[in-house]
Amino acid sequence: MGNSEFIEKLFSIKDKVALVTGATGALGSAVAKGYGLAGAKVVLTGRNEQKLAEVAAEMKEAGCTCAFIVGDPAVEEDVKKIVKFSEDKFGELNILAACHGFNAPKSVVEQSVEEWQSIMDADCKSIYVLAKYSAEQMIRQGKGGKMVIVSSARSKMGMAGYTGYCTSKGGVDLMVQSLACDLTTQYGINVNSINPTVFRSDLTEWMFDKESAVYQNFLKRIPVGRLGEPEDFVGLAIFLASSASDFLTGGNYDATGGYWAC
């Protein structure tokens, strides 16, 4: 400690291999691009091949090293294939950034058990499967690793119509804590979550109308005075993937602009 080289390396993810799920979404694509611009080799995955190709093309044009593979993070065989692809393409896997998500808001009396289960599979089971096979790969390498899991502010706050989503994200937060107990001491794999509130995407754009009651109600509980942009989460995602977070594991990190504080 005490020199600039130490600090530069502390926050560096240069030449690390990062797997980013949900890479076609607003948050996933921002994290993938952020990792790529920081010098990581990025594997993009999601279910839409055309969109994956578009994100990969943008990243390559910006000078990033990346590749993509189609797959569903809730399907075990797909996850095995994705992790193997990461190793085959870039030689190893150092960072898992799980940025995918799904919701179908409905009251408990209106939502079928099958639809509730689909939310649980997409948002909770998928994290278990990804963590399992990513951890196995990282353990074989013997170098430790980082898992950065996108959860939600709703993991600790109920909401009408969100019985599936809140339950799944609450499970993710507790899973992150348990994964840290399983993986950090023995294998040097740090596991943490980012818990955002509303951030801009195609699905949430309507909430960003500054004249709307929805926007005004949000601002009453957000001290930073605005809703989130995908770029707001890139710094935290890089920090949790770098050596700067080596002493942090099992944490659920607020990325809500202060929403949890109010």
Side-chain angles (χ1 to χ4, degrees), residues 107-168:
S107 164
V108 64
V109 296
E110 297 170 346
Q111 191 159 58
S112 68
V113 173
E114 291 77 16
E115 189 172 44
W116 182 88
Q117 186 65 59
S118 70
I119 298 170
M120 294 296 294
D121 288 349
D123 291 346
C124 194
K125 174 190 171 185
S126 64
I127 301 301
Y128 182 87
V129 177
L130 277 164
K132 175 179 174 59
Y133 290 107
S134 297
E136 288 180 0
Q137 176 62 35
M138 292 175 182
I139 291 166
R140 283 193 294 270
Q141 294 163 188
K143 299 179 180 179
K146 301 282 184 166
M147 295 187 184
V148 182
I149 311 299
V150 176
S151 180
S152 171
R154 286 291 159 196
S155 64
K156 304 184 191 305
M157 306 171 70
M159 183 176 177
Y162 272 46
T163 306
Y165 189 76
C166 291
T167 303
S168 68

Side-chain angles (χ1 to χ4, degrees), residues 57-131:
E58 290 175 16
M59 290 179 62
K60 288 177 180 177
E61 187 175 348
C64 303
T65 300
C66 66
F68 70 87
I69 178 171
V70 177
D72 186 332
V75 176
E76 186 175 5
E77 291 305 314
D78 280 10
V79 172
K80 290 180 183 178
K81 177 182 67 176
I82 291 164
V83 171
K84 187 175 187 305
F85 175 85
S86 303
E87 181 193 13
D88 291 345
K89 189 70 179 178
F90 295 123
E92 58 185 11
L93 176 62
N94 311 116
I95 300 163
L96 167 65
C99 303
H100 61 278
F102 170 72
N103 193 16
K106 284 182 185 175
S107 164
V108 64
V109 296
E110 297 170 346
Q111 191 159 58
S112 68
V113 173
E114 291 77 16
E115 189 172 44
W116 182 88
Q117 186 65 59
S118 70
I119 298 170
M120 294 296 294
D121 288 349
D123 291 346
C124 194
K125 174 190 171 185
S126 64
I127 301 301
Y128 182 87
V129 177
L130 277 164

